[in-house]
């Protein structure tokens, strides 16, 4: 088979080191690929006024698969301050390049698995009967709609008159907000389309079917957010009835789901939600399996897909001479990439190696040792980013 080309997108801060170590693991596992580096992130904002240059878009258009580290984002004003002097006159406004990628390539299906590694010292434990300690095995895969909802960007402070007039036509608006001066209103919309809702639902049912999960849970709030959450749940009911009768459809409210997070996390399989609630519920479950050092994700579009750890660029660790951050989230994201492009044997091999290193418990990054992240953690016995990758490579 022809060698693959993967677009590597290191980005900022710790993005570069976790990606480098991950590529070392991929090579050691026998994955044959060429990597072309795509420019993305803060440097390109400062120097070019665009954190997602067109040449990077072109690379992804051509090669279809991106492996992304992390970027640094800053609020609008801070971003403007750091822009190079000659660009300051141009009226440029910063926007996050990862959100930009999701929107440009319509990467609308986000998958975030949260699966317990046996032996991980960060695993959630709870008190059982007679004060016993239980360590439930979490095996949840969250499907988050990635492009719409509260992240769709349709929002105003002091909305234009025509928007205000349209809102006034809604009886609830007149009743609850009709007396508020227009310039004291901030409005963020939550827009769901049938097409994207059907895509995220179908992706979640298909996944449950393929990997043998018994249930799909819609985690929204249809009793209160009747139109958007309501539409998603109704469409899920119809899809389950017509196409996936062998899979159970469960319905939870996001607030109750977070309360139950620690009560019965082992009961859930596939969970599907809109953009905001998907973000919340996936961070919640990630906390049960070790947090940001372990949380991986895939952003899938119809053509292009980008795989990335959930964590950001962790700037405070970026300049350490020896990097201390946990590369497992990035490595697990690369395994999702391998599964996606049908390199399942290599993916399984890497996942097995990661699981063995964690189970053995000899090599642990600072987060796994419950240390505060400081430059001296390696002297105190924590593995560096590279040592963790080496340990995984040794198990391959
Ligand atoms: P962050 O995820 O970068 O870091 C938060 C904390 O989590 C770190 O200080 C560290 O204690 C821990 N952490 C993160 N990754 C870890 C790893 N691999 N191993 C061990 N510990 C790890 O989030 P923060 O500090 O809120 O944001 C930093 C920058 O990253 C910001 O500019 C933010 O906008 C950006 N960001 C980018 C994301 C992306 O590229 N997709 C996602 C989240 C934040
Ligand atoms: Mg998040």
């Amino acid at each position: 088979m022809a060698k693959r080309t993967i677009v590597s997108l290191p980005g900022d801060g710790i993005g570069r080191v976790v990606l480098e170590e991950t590529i070392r693991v991929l090579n050691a596992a026998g994955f044959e690929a060429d990597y072309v580096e795509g420019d993305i992130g803060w440097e390109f904002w400062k120097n070019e006024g665009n954190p997602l240059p067109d040449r990077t878009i072109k690379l992804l258009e051509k090669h279809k698969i991106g492996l992304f580290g992390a970027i640094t984002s800053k609020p609008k004003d801070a971003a403007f301050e750091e822009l190079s002097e000659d660009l300051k006159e141009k009226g440029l406004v910063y926007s996050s390049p990862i959100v930009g990628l999701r929107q440009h390539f319509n990467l609308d299906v986000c998958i975030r698995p949260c699966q317990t590694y046996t032996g991980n010292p960060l695993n959630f434990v709870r008190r059982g009967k007679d004060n016993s300690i239980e360590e439930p095995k979490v095996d949840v895969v969250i499907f988050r709609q990635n492009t719409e909802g509260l992240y769709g960007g349709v929002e105003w402070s002091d909305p234009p008159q025509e928007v205000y007039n349209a809102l006034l036509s809604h009886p609830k608006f007149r009743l609850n907000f009709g007396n508020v001066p227009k310039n004291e209103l901030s409005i963020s919309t939550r827009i769901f389309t049938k097409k994207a809702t059907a895509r995220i639902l179908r992706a979640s049912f298909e996944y449950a079917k393929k990997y043998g999960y018994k249930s799909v849970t819609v985690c929204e709030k249809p009793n209160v957010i009747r139109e958007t959450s309501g539409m998603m749940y109704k469409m899920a009911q119809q899809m389950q009835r017509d196409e996936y009768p062998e899979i159970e459809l469960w319905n939870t409210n996001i607030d109750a789901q977070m309360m139950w997070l620690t009560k019965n996390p082992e009961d859930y399989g596939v969970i599907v939600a809109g953009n905001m609630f998907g973000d919340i519920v996936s961070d919640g479950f990630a906390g049960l399996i070790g947090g940001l050092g372990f949380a991986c994700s895939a952003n899938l579009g119809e053509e292009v897909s980008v795989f990335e750890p959930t964590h950001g660029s962790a700037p405070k660790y970026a300049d350490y001479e020896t990097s201390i951050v946990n590369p497992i989230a990035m490595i697990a994201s690369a395994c999702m990439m391998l599964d996606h492009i049908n390199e399942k044997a290599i993916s399984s091999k890497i996942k097995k190696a990661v699981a063995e290193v964690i189970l053995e418990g000899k090599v642990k990054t600072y987060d796994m040792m419950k240390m505060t992240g400081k430059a001296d953690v390696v002297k105190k016995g924590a593995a560096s980013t590279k040592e963790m990758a080496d340990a995984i490579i040794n198990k391959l």
Side-chain angles (χ1 to χ4, degrees):
M1 214 178 86
K3 225 179 178 185
R4 287 241 170 216
T5 302
I6 306 292
V7 182
S8 71
L9 303 158
D12 303 306
I14 64 164
R16 182 163 291 275
V17 63
V18 293
L19 185 51
E20 263 170 26
E21 294 304 327
T22 295
I23 291 175
R24 231 159 44 81
V25 172
L26 287 168
N27 288 336
F31 177 53
E32 289 189 17
D34 291 319
Y35 296 88
V36 289
E37 186 167 321
D39 296 335
I40 188 167
W42 202 246
E43 282 312 303
F44 304 96
W45 163 251
K46 285 200 305 192
N47 300 323
E48 301 177 24
N50 184 1
L52 179 58
D54 288 343
R55 55 187 183 278
T56 304
I57 300 270
K58 293 245 157 57
L59 278 179
L60 279 164
E61 265 165 15
K62 181 162 173 209
H63 302 297
K64 316 287 187 220
I65 304 284
L67 201 49
F68 171 58
I71 47 91
T72 296
S73 269
K74 296 187 187 177
K76 228 162 73 176
D77 296 344
F80 182 77
E81 274 313 303
E82 292 193 30
L83 201 53
S84 96
E85 284 308 319
D86 52 316
L87 293 170
K88 282 197 169 146
E89 307 297 298
K90 297 200 167 167
L92 301 164
V93 180
Y94 177 81
S95 68
S96 158
I98 178 66
V99 176
L101 271 184
R102 288 173 190 156
Q103 248 128 30
H104 181 90
F105 290 111
N106 194 25
L107 307 178
D108 62 333
V109 173
C110 177
I111 311 179
R112 294 183 167 181
C114 296
Q115 285 146 337
T116 304
Y117 288 101
T118 308
N120 185 349
L122 298 174
N123 285 344
F124 164 67
V125 295
R126 85 188 150 211
R127 211 177 286 285
K129 254 195 183 157
D130 304 323
N131 260 350
S132 62
I133 298 293
E134 300 171 343
E135 190 175 312
K137 210 166 164 52
V138 178
D139 180 2
V140 162
V141 183
I142 289 130
F143 281 70
R144 167 191 179 192
Q145 206 296 325
N146 218 16
T147 47
E148 303 190 335
L150 281 172
Y151 293 68
V154 183
E155 42 184 8
W156 303 268
S157 288
D158 189 5
Q161 193 63 46
E162 63 266 40
V163 172
Y164 184 72
N165 292 345
L167 289 167
L168 275 177
S169 73
H170 197 294
K172 284 263 171 69
F173 185 86
R174 283 200 304 275
L175 180 70
N176 296 323
F177 307 102
N179 294 329
V180 184
K182 190 167 83 62
N183 63 6
E184 288 183 20
L185 284 172
S186 284
I187 298 158
S188 301
T189 64
R190 189 176 196 263
I191 299 172
F192 283 30
T193 64
K194 280 199 168 162
K195 183 177 175 203
T197 305
R199 261 177 61 80
I200 194 73
L201 289 171
R202 180 158 284 107
S204 66
F205 278 114
E206 279 298 316
Y207 193 95
K209 188 170 152 182
K210 185 166 168 193
Y211 293 101
Y213 288 90
K214 73 166 194 225
S215 65
V216 168
T217 302
V218 175
C219 178
E220 279 282 323
K221 185 93 181 173
N223 52 337
V224 177
I225 314 175
R226 291 169 188 277
E227 300 307 324
T228 44
S229 291
M231 179 179 85
M232 180 176 255
Y233 184 53
K234 242 200 278 173
M235 287 174 70
Q237 284 177 302
Q238 172 114 41
M239 198 177 276
Q240 188 265 349
R241 248 191 333 257
D242 296 350
E243 297 174 55
Y244 304 96
E246 72 284 10
I247 296 166
E248 292 173 30
L249 175 64
W250 299 356
N251 174 28
T252 60
N253 287 333
I254 177 68
D255 48 344
Q257 181 77 68
M258 296 318 279
M259 188 176 64
W260 296 330
L261 195 64
T262 53
K263 186 175 154 237
N264 62 341
E266 67 272 45
D267 290 348
Y268 299 92
V270 171
I271 295 180
V272 59
N275 211 336
M276 181 85 250
F277 297 160
D279 202 13
I280 293 172
V281 76
S282 61
D283 271 12
F285 275 96
L288 305 180
I289 59 122
L292 287 174
F294 295 86
C296 56
S297 79
N299 303 281
L300 311 182
E302 276 165 301
E303 293 254 316
V304 171
S305 301
V306 176
F307 301 83
E308 56 158 338
T310 309
H311 65 73
S313 62
K316 61 183 176 190
Y317 306 144
D319 298 325
Y320 286 6
E321 209 172 295
T322 304
S323 170
I324 64 164
V325 295
N326 191 343
I328 290 176
M330 180 83 240
I331 293 168
S333 305
C335 288
M336 295 185 80
M337 172 191 82
L338 292 172
D339 288 337
H340 182 72
I341 59 178
N342 256 318
E343 294 281 4
K344 297 222 162 66
I346 300 175
S347 160
S348 301
K349 199 156 96 180
I350 298 174
K351 285 189 221 172
K352 190 162 159 272
V354 171
E356 279 175 24
V357 170
I358 295 172
L359 182 62
E360 204 173 71
K362 282 196 210 141
V363 179
K364 290 180 283 201
T365 42
Y366 83 93
D367 51 331
M368 299 170 76
M369 297 186 74
K370 302 172 192 190
M371 291 174 164
T372 306
K374 293 222 174 86
D376 63 357
V377 295
V378 176
K379 278 202 203 98
K380 292 183 178 160
S384 67
T385 310
K386 181 168 181 300
E387 284 165 345
M388 176 54 90
D390 283 338
I392 292 164
I393 289 169
N394 284 334
K395 294 281 181 203
L396 287 168

